[in-house]
């Protein structure tokens, strides 16, 4: 059993990250260089803060070699048994006798560690977090793997709709374009510097006028009034 002031403080995230790597390929020997790569930390930090705890819980031996426990630890079926074995090897019976089920139980365990180790709140929090991890002994609580940056985020902005050319059904596109061109030419351009004049004409045509006479009237109007237009 470890001394009362040297209980494991392996973080929950490091625990799962190392186990995930072991599930892919279990190394014959764990080194500080290996851990720095897996956990993205400095080798010195891995040597001082990770290696001692892996030895303490039996994942590696004094030389850093992995053994049977490391193989069982990465297996979901054997995982609960490994957690129970680590608890029994490291922690005293008086702590094991305290249930670890309800929030009240966990508060009692925190007080036990604080009283027994005499350490501060931060250290007690790290010790109890690892102990609760062993109590839960649930491999399904391993965080899901995050998606890589290769996944492109969907853009929230909407692009402007493209203009749509509406074509009359059954009518060739060329005819539509010609109609549009002709329509634009029906409006004569205004002559510069010429004031616009509006003329209102009232024409009284006798009811007994013949169609030929009516045509002559409008023909004369077109000749004399609209000749410049």
């Amino acid at each position: 059993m470890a001394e009362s002031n040297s209980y494991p403080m392996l973080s929950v995230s490091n625990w799962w990250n190392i186990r995930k790597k072991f599930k892919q390929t279990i190394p014959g020997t764990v080194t500080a260089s290996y851990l720095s790569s897996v956990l993205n930390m400095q080798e010195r930090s891995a040597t001082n803060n990770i290696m001692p705890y892996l030895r303490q819980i039996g994942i590696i031996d004094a030389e850093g070699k992995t053994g049977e426990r490391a193989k069982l630890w990465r297996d979901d079926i054997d995982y609960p048994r490994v957690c129970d074995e680590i608890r029994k090897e490291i922690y005293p019976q008086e702590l094991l006798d305290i249930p670890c089920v309800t929030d009240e139980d966990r508060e009692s365990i925190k007080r036990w560690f604080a009283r027994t180790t005499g350490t501060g709140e931060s250290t007690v929090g790290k010790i109890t977090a690892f102990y609760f991890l062993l109590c839960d002994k649930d491999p399904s609580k391993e965080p899901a793997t995050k998606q890589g940056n290769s996944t492109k985020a969907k853009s929230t902005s909407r692009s402007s709709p493209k203009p749509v050319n509406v074509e009359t059904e059954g009518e060739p596109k060329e005819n539509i374009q010609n109609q549009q061109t002709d329509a634009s030419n029906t409006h004569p351009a205004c002559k510069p510097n010429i004031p616009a004049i509006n003329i209102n004409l009232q024409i009284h045509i006798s009811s007994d006028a013949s169609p030929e006479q009516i045509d002559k009237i409008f023909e004369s109007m077109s000749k004399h009034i609209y000749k410049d237009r």
Side-chain angles (χ1 to χ4, degrees), residues 91-98 112 115-116:
Y91 302 96
Q93 188 61 43
E94 62 177 306
L95 176 62
L96 300 178
D97 290 339
I98 302 176
W112 186 94
R115 182 179 65 256
T116 304

Side-chain angles (χ1 to χ4, degrees), residues 161-199:
K162 295 182 179 179
V164 179
N165 294 326
V166 180
E167 298 182 12
T168 305
E169 182 178 359
E171 187 172 2
K173 183 177 180 180
E174 295 178 355
N175 292 343
I176 295 176
Q177 292 177 345
N178 294 334
Q179 292 173 8
Q180 293 175 348
T181 303
D182 295 338
S184 64
N185 293 331
T186 57
H187 301 282
C190 295
K191 295 182 179 180
N193 302 324
I194 298 178
I197 300 176
N198 295 325
I199 300 175

Side-chain angles (χ1 to χ4, degrees), residues 66-83:
T66 54
E68 186 65 20
R69 174 166 292 180
K71 297 176 183 178
L72 297 176
W73 175 54
R74 67 177 188 165
D75 185 88
D76 288 350
I77 296 177
D78 294 315
Y79 177 86
R81 179 162 62 91
V82 172
C83 291

